[in-house]
């Protein structure tokens, strides 16, 4: 089975659109997401472009604030403060990475946790870890939705995660091991210092690859019947394409797909789900569902 993130994200976006139409019908204003983009990193441009387009699809308002690479840290912090105070903005993101002269941690900490729809603020991360209502980081949330809506049972399953980043591997490990609807898995977290990685990945009922190395997970590293979630997005040269390149995941799809029970394609798997999860967080922000009464 192919875990089609593109199709599922279209379905979920339609569900959001219905909710937004209902809001507007009641005379309420639609959710409003703002995005701050510093510089012109092509990948960041593409991600932010996708987010703005998705807002249009679901009926949200969106504001894109673009600033040159030369912006000072203080100027960026001032923008964050203004967005924190703007009652018409429900949630906002500051697209990472930021230029080296700006401290990303300082900027993340300056975001009001009630508007932190990326879920990167330590308060949201901590609440997530304790199972309290929180904005879940978009990519792990997208993975949970893919599993849930495709009827893939996680309870009691052995999940092996490769990659321990703060935005993917680590939060996903926490979410899948907690006592919840999609959870109750036994999680093994692996990374660059793991001894005999293939021995670990071969034990996975569900394997998550979030490494950032093209086609790193090969056929001999998985068992038959595995469910594979490929988070990786890597651009590689391809002379047969007009653009000269194409996107591949962290999993060698051609080798691994025949052994798997279910697998996400790249592109069209986790990627679209990430943007959709951000839309869900923005809807929650509009409804003040998280941090209610704070
Ligand atoms: P990162 O670079 O922050 O972390 C990579 C992790 O991989 C590290 O924890 C490291 O320990 C591990 N690793 C590196 N080499 C390894 C090795 N040889 N063996 C085992 N583990 C190894 O990565 P990230 O930000 O989590 O991103 C990972 C990939 O996912 C990238 O390709 C990125 O583009 C992609 N990504 C996709 C989405 C999406 O929406 N689909 C979102 C975020 C990231």
């Amino acid at each position: 089975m192919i875990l089609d993130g593109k199709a599922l994200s279209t379905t979920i976006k339609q569900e959001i659109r219905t909710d937004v139409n209902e809001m507007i019908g009641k005379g309420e204003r639609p959710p409003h997401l703002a995005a701050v983009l510093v510089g012109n990193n092509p990948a960041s441009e593409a991600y932010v472009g996708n987010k703005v387009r998705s807002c249009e699809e679901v009926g949200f308002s969106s504001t894109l604030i673009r600033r040159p690479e030369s912006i000072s840290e203080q100027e960026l912090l001032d923008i964050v403060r203004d967005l924190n105070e703007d009652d018409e903005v429900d949630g906002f993101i500051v697209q990472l990475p930021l230029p080296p002269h700006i401290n990303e941690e300082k900027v993340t900490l300056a975001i009001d946790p009630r508007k932190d729809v990326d879920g990167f603020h330590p308060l949201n991360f901590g609440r997530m870890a304790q199972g309290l209502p929180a904005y879940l980081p978009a990519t792990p949330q997208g993975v949970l939705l893919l599993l849930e809506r495709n009827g893939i049972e996680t309870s009691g399953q052995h999940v092996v995660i490769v990659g321990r980043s703060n935005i993917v591997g680590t939060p996903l490990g926490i979410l899948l091991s907690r006592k919840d609807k999609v959870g109750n898995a036994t999680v093994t977290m692996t990374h660059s210092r793991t001894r005999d990685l293939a021995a670990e990945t071969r034990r996975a009922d569900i394997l998550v690859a979030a490494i950032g190395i093209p086609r790193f997970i090969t056929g001999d590293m998985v068992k038959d019947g595995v469910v594979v979630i490929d988070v990786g997005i890597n651009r590689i040269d391809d002379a047969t394409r007009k653009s000269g390149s194409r996107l591949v995941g962290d999993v060698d799809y051609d080798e691994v797909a025949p052994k798997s029970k279910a697998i996400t394609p790249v592109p069209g798997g986790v990627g679209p789900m990430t943007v959709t999860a951000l839309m869900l967080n923005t809807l929650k922000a509009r409804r003040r569902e998280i941090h209610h009464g704070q």
Side-chain angles (χ1 to χ4, degrees):
M1 171 173 51
I2 292 184
L3 300 172
D4 186 342
K6 200 166 167 222
L8 179 56
S9 71
T10 302
T11 303
I12 296 175
K13 279 195 259 190
Q14 279 162 356
E15 293 167 6
I16 300 174
R17 175 93 224 188
T18 304
D19 285 6
V20 172
N21 287 346
E22 219 169 88
M23 268 183 183
I24 296 170
K26 284 194 267 180
E28 295 167 12
R29 76 163 169 79
H32 181 184
L33 175 73
V36 184
L37 175 59
V38 176
N40 31 29
N41 172 325
S44 295
E45 298 244 9
Y47 292 144
V48 170
N50 264 334
K51 291 167 190 176
V52 170
R53 230 180 353 266
S54 291
C55 281
E56 283 160 18
E57 283 168 30
V58 297
F60 292 179
S61 314
S62 66
T63 303
L64 173 56
I65 301 171
R66 295 196 68 140
R67 290 293 181 270
E69 184 102 12
S70 58
I71 187 175
S72 71
E73 186 177 273
Q74 191 52 52
E75 284 169 314
L76 184 57
L77 289 170
D78 288 344
I79 292 173
V80 168
R81 190 203 50 224
D82 289 348
L83 289 169
N84 283 341
E85 290 172 359
D86 188 340
D87 289 338
E88 299 284 303
V89 171
D90 301 299
F92 65 98
I93 59 149
V94 178
Q95 184 66 44
L96 302 180
L98 293 169
H101 66 277
I102 299 179
N103 183 337
E104 284 184 357
E105 192 189 339
K106 207 165 163 185
V107 173
T108 303
L109 280 170
I111 297 173
D112 183 336
R114 289 170 298 191
K115 294 193 176 187
D116 170 40
V117 284
D118 258 340
F120 292 167
H121 192 289
L123 192 102
N124 277 311
F125 198 98
R127 290 178 65 107
M128 172 202 70
Q130 293 192 342
L132 296 167
Y135 293 113
L136 303 185
T139 303
Q141 187 183 167
V143 171
L144 297 188
L145 284 165
L146 259 180
L147 293 170
E148 183 185 13
R149 301 281 283 253
N150 283 287
I152 291 172
E153 181 62 73
T154 55
S155 182
Q157 298 292 296
H158 185 194
V159 175
V160 177
I161 298 178
V162 191
R164 58 182 158 187
S165 73
N166 282 342
I167 62 165
V168 187
T170 295
L172 193 54
I174 293 169
L175 289 166
L176 284 170
S177 55
R178 73 183 182 171
K179 194 172 178 180
D180 209 341
K181 205 167 40 171
V182 187
N184 292 312
T186 305
V187 176
T188 300
M189 181 70 77
T190 68
H191 42 76
S192 51
R193 304 290 177 93
T194 297
R195 215 184 313 132
D196 199 355
L197 182 68
E200 301 296 338
T201 56
R202 272 195 288 266
R203 290 168 53 227
D205 300 314
I206 301 173
L207 178 66
V208 179
I211 314 155
I213 304 177
R215 293 179 291 203
F216 181 83
I217 304 289
T218 45
D220 57 324
M221 293 172 77
V222 300
K223 71 176 179 190
D224 282 323
V226 66
V227 172
V228 179
I229 305 290
D230 188 354
V231 181
I233 302 178
N234 310 290
R235 190 163 283 286
I236 59 161
D237 292 339
D238 183 349
T240 68
R241 299 283 173 104
K242 223 164 70 187
S243 62
S245 69
R246 72 185 158 106
L247 295 180
V248 295
D250 289 346
V251 174
D252 188 324
Y253 189 90
D254 294 339
E255 281 187 27
V256 173
K259 294 182 81 174
S260 65
K261 185 164 76 184
I263 185 166
T264 58
V266 177
V270 177
M273 293 304 298
T274 296
V275 187
T276 300
L278 179 68
M279 299 299 117
L280 284 170
N281 280 351
T282 306
L283 184 64
K284 286 187 178 135
R286 175 71 186 94
R287 291 180 165 153
R288 312 279 186 265
E289 275 178 33
I290 316 282
H291 311 295
H292 181 71
Q294 287 170 38

